[in-house]
Amino acid sequence: MPLTNQQVADRAFLKGMYADGYYPDEVVDKGREILLRLCERIEAQRPADLTALYVLTHAATCEFNDLQDDFWEAGSEIETVARELIAEEFWFVADAYGFADADAEELIGTRDW
């Protein structure tokens, strides 16, 4: 399903991770896909409030949790820089879909990285 939010469609997700050779592109690609699927879910389900949005972002965060093994196998990890970059993308998504009052920590509340 093509994204209808042009701001999101034009976004180069995880650009900072792609620019850093420490993070393997093939694993970052998987993270980018998680974010795109999150956007697709938001557009399909149109969460009415923050509680509904957090259900979607928590599920996407759990997908990032599962990516940790892929990073480790590739000699990398979701460390401080990656945590910040991923969190910024979740905040961008929330804001782009009209949830500027979302709590940045709650968006990724299910993280274990």
Side-chain angles (χ1 to χ4, degrees), residues 32-83:
R32 181 180 159 281
E33 290 301 317
I34 291 168
L35 292 165
L36 290 171
R37 280 194 305 275
L38 170 62
C39 294
E40 289 172 355
R41 288 182 195 125
I42 291 171
E43 290 189 11
Q45 297 180 23
R46 302 201 183 277
D49 56 24
L50 285 173
T51 301
L53 175 69
Y54 293 148
V55 168
L56 299 176
T57 63
H58 289 174
T61 300
C62 288
E63 290 184 63
F64 268 100
N65 291 345
D66 293 341
L67 265 188
Q68 288 187 101
D69 288 339
D70 291 4
F71 276 105
W72 286 326
E73 289 171 12
S76 184
E77 67 179 304
I78 299 177
E79 42 69 69
T80 305
V81 172
R83 283 183 209 117

